[in-house]
Amino acid sequence: MTGTNDAPRVRDTAAGAAVESPAVIPAKRWVYVIPVAAIMYMLAYLDRNNVSVVLPYMHGDLDLSNADKGLAGGIFFLGYVFLQIPAAVLAQRWSARKTVLILMVAWGLSAVLSGLVQSRTQFYAARFVLGFFEGGVWPAVLILLASWFPLRERARANALWMACLPLSSVLMAPLSGWMLDHAGWRWVLVLQGLPPLVWAVVWWFAVADRPAQARWISSAEADHLARTIAADEATKPAAGGGSYLGAVRQPSVLVLIGVYFFWITGFYGFSLWLPAVIKELTHNGSATEVGLLTAVPFTVALVAMIANAAWSDRTGRRWQAVALPLVVGVVALLLGQAVHGALPRMLLLCVTAAAVYAPYGPFWAIPGQLLRFEVVAVAMGLINALGNLGGFAGPYLVGWLTDATGTSLTGFAVLAGFLAVAVILVTLGLRPVPAPPRDRSGDAPARPANSAAKTES
């Protein structure tokens, strides 16, 4: 699927020389760019989400109620807002590689400090600062990927990179549980904050901002990518006259913000409380047992995420690839409140995890189809900044409702309502998103540069 480029052989008649067929050009970007970026963000996601494994085992060290734990999980996202747009603009106008490097070092140090706090207020502050520095990484990497992968490959590239989200939980939840059984929660946070400082060195030497700057890519592949991405840009209408403000005022961008907020509220409300629910299902099992079982839903999510992105790229059906999994998530969350027994509830947790992770690749392919490169950075930063406020609302809401009702079931039922709103917004607001489907040979169908984008079927 990702081993070679897709365009047919062409001949440069003006130069009088044959251009090597991209079909036989090794697509090294899939091997160099995606894995390095995925490991980098897997470490970021670990430092963000390890608190979900740690909180049930803090045993009153900081005297946290369930609402306080929800606040500790969610306050990260208040800090997450601030650098979204500045980092996106820096990545576009200066360097995505350098922007991510600086943020990687800063968040690694912040993660280490999270394990050294002595009070509840300090813990909140440390989580806020961690979110502040991690906030700019997501849009900066999306800008980087847009310089390396044409539109017809974008959902798969996004999903393979974003596969680090469930993969981080698959690998690190058991590790965090094992570490908790053999050391205190402080050591877990400190030791897991160190790897980003090491990986920053790998990032600096392995990643380039664009193909023309990479030492490991062939000139044929670099030229092909430059031509293909330029052709993609030529098919897009000038959004709002090409201004940042005009771009973010587009109705489709506003809908994307709403979709992302309601989806992410359900997403993080589920993800950050999942270990606590599994601990309850195991009747307060050991941290290692809970960590291993927590990895199971995320393994299912990883498979669903990649499969859904491949289907989206193959068919061009972006909005369906976002909406249908969320519908499944709504049903699974509601059924989870009605069924009893550890095994049925565990199966529904797996289905829910797959449903809330699956839309990632197709969703983040949509802004690049709507907007030109010169304005998409700000739009993606704004979508991620405002949408991720749901990452504060979801965990805190579940924690508060758990304290108020004595069970997490109520909170999860409310999260289903948030996902349902996201489905409504996707269905009513995103249907006209264009996405060039691939034919059987893997090529994107040719479209005149001045042709209007057609509504998806």
Side-chain angles (χ1 to χ4, degrees), residues 311-323 362-363 365-366 369-370 426-427 429-437 447 452-457:
W311 179 80
S312 172
D313 270 350
R314 186 175 66 253
T315 64
R317 296 175 182 266
R318 298 290 195 225
W319 77 268
Q320 293 96 326
V322 175
F363 179 87
I366 291 172
Q369 293 170 204
L370 295 173
V426 170
T427 304
L430 293 186
R431 295 190 63 166
V433 176
R447 288 190 306 176
K454 295 182 179 180
T455 302
E456 288 178 293
S457 58

Side-chain angles (χ1 to χ4, degrees), residues 270 274 276-278 280-282 297 332-333 335-352 407-410 412:
F270 169 81
L274 178 60
V277 173
I278 290 180
E280 177 187 331
L281 293 180
T282 61
L333 279 173
L335 284 177
Q337 318 320 309
V339 303
H340 300 283
L343 182 58
R345 290 187 65 190
M346 187 66 184
L347 290 174
L348 286 170
L349 290 175
C350 291
V351 173
T352 304
T407 175
S408 62
L409 299 182
T410 307
F412 275 64

Side-chain angles (χ1 to χ4, degrees), residues 255-347:
V255 170
L256 286 169
I257 292 171
V259 170
Y260 203 51
F261 174 82
F262 286 101
W263 165 27
I264 291 301
T265 299
F267 175 89
Y268 278 113
F270 169 81
S271 298
L272 289 176
W273 281 97
L274 178 60
V277 173
I278 290 180
K279 182 183 178 185
E280 177 187 331
L281 293 180
T282 61
H283 304 290
N284 294 317
S286 69
T288 300
E289 181 183 4
V290 171
L292 287 169
L293 289 175
T294 299
V296 175
F298 292 116
T299 303
V300 178
L302 176 63
V303 175
M305 193 173 175
I306 295 174
N308 190 49
W311 179 80
S312 172
D313 270 350
R314 186 175 66 253
T315 64
R317 296 175 182 266
R318 298 290 195 225
W319 77 268
Q320 293 96 326
V322 175
L324 294 178
L326 294 182
V327 171
V328 174
V330 171
V331 174
L333 279 173
L334 292 176
L335 284 177
Q337 318 320 309
V339 303
H340 300 283
L343 182 58
R345 290 187 65 190
M346 187 66 184
L347 290 174

Side-chain angles (χ1 to χ4, degrees), residues 81-401:
V81 170
F82 291 93
L83 290 185
Q84 292 286 322
I85 293 177
V89 174
L90 278 176
Q92 179 203 353
R93 295 189 173 184
W94 179 46
S95 167
R97 171 176 171 250
K98 295 176 183 177
T99 300
V100 171
L101 178 75
I102 293 170
L103 294 174
M104 198 184 315
V105 173
W107 104 58
L109 294 174
S110 301
V112 170
L113 292 176
S114 296
L116 305 178
V117 299
Q118 299 299 318
S119 69
R120 178 171 53 188
T121 302
Q122 290 178 3
F123 192 44
Y124 292 158
R127 292 286 299 169
F128 179 90
V129 172
L130 178 63
F132 179 84
F133 287 119
E134 278 195 24
V137 178
W138 184 270
V141 175
L142 286 172
I143 294 299
L144 180 74
L145 296 182
S147 299
W148 280 93
F149 297 92
L151 282 177
R152 67 174 178 268
E153 299 173 342
R154 194 73 52 82
R156 284 171 296 155
N158 288 347
L160 287 172
W161 167 52
M162 295 172 192
C164 64
L165 304 184
L167 184 60
S168 176
S169 298
V170 169
L171 298 177
M172 299 306 180
L175 176 62
S176 296
W178 179 84
M179 292 175 69
L180 279 169
D181 278 339
H182 294 82
W185 63 268
R186 296 181 185 278
W187 278 109
V188 174
L189 298 182
V190 169
L191 293 177
Q192 292 184 357
L194 296 176
L197 304 179
V198 177
W199 197 251
V201 179
V202 178
W203 174 271
W204 178 254
F205 287 104
V207 173
D209 281 305
R210 53 189 59 87
Q213 298 173 347
R215 299 176 182 177
W216 43 263
I217 195 173
S218 69
S219 58
E221 185 178 0
D223 291 344
H224 168 67
L225 288 174
R227 290 194 305 270
T228 306
I229 292 173
D232 286 343
E233 292 297 304
T235 65
K236 302 175 189 176
S243 69
Y244 289 149
L245 187 59
V248 300
R249 280 179 173 175
Q250 284 196 104
S252 54
V253 174
L254 298 178
V255 170
L256 286 169
I257 292 171
V259 170
Y260 203 51
F261 174 82
F262 286 101
W263 165 27
I264 291 301
T265 299
F267 175 89
Y268 278 113
F270 169 81
S271 298
L272 289 176
W273 281 97
L274 178 60
V277 173
I278 290 180
K279 182 183 178 185
E280 177 187 331
L281 293 180
T282 61
H283 304 290
N284 294 317
S286 69
T288 300
E289 181 183 4
V290 171
L292 287 169
L293 289 175
T294 299
V296 175
F298 292 116
T299 303
V300 178
L302 176 63
V303 175
M305 193 173 175
I306 295 174
N308 190 49
W311 179 80
S312 172
D313 270 350
R314 186 175 66 253
T315 64
R317 296 175 182 266
R318 298 290 195 225
W319 77 268
Q320 293 96 326
V322 175
L324 294 178
L326 294 182
V327 171
V328 174
V330 171
V331 174
L333 279 173
L334 292 176
L335 284 177
Q337 318 320 309
V339 303
H340 300 283
L343 182 58
R345 290 187 65 190
M346 187 66 184
L347 290 174
L348 286 170
L349 290 175
C350 291
V351 173
T352 304
V356 297
Y357 273 93
Y360 260 109
F363 179 87
W364 284 108
I366 291 172
Q369 293 170 204
L370 295 173
L371 303 172
R372 291 181 181 271
F373 185 78
E374 62 268 19
V375 294
V376 74
V378 167
M380 288 195 296
L382 188 65
I383 292 166
N384 202 40
L386 298 182
N388 265 292
L389 289 176
F392 170 79
Y396 182 73
L397 185 62
V398 173
W400 180 80
L401 288 171

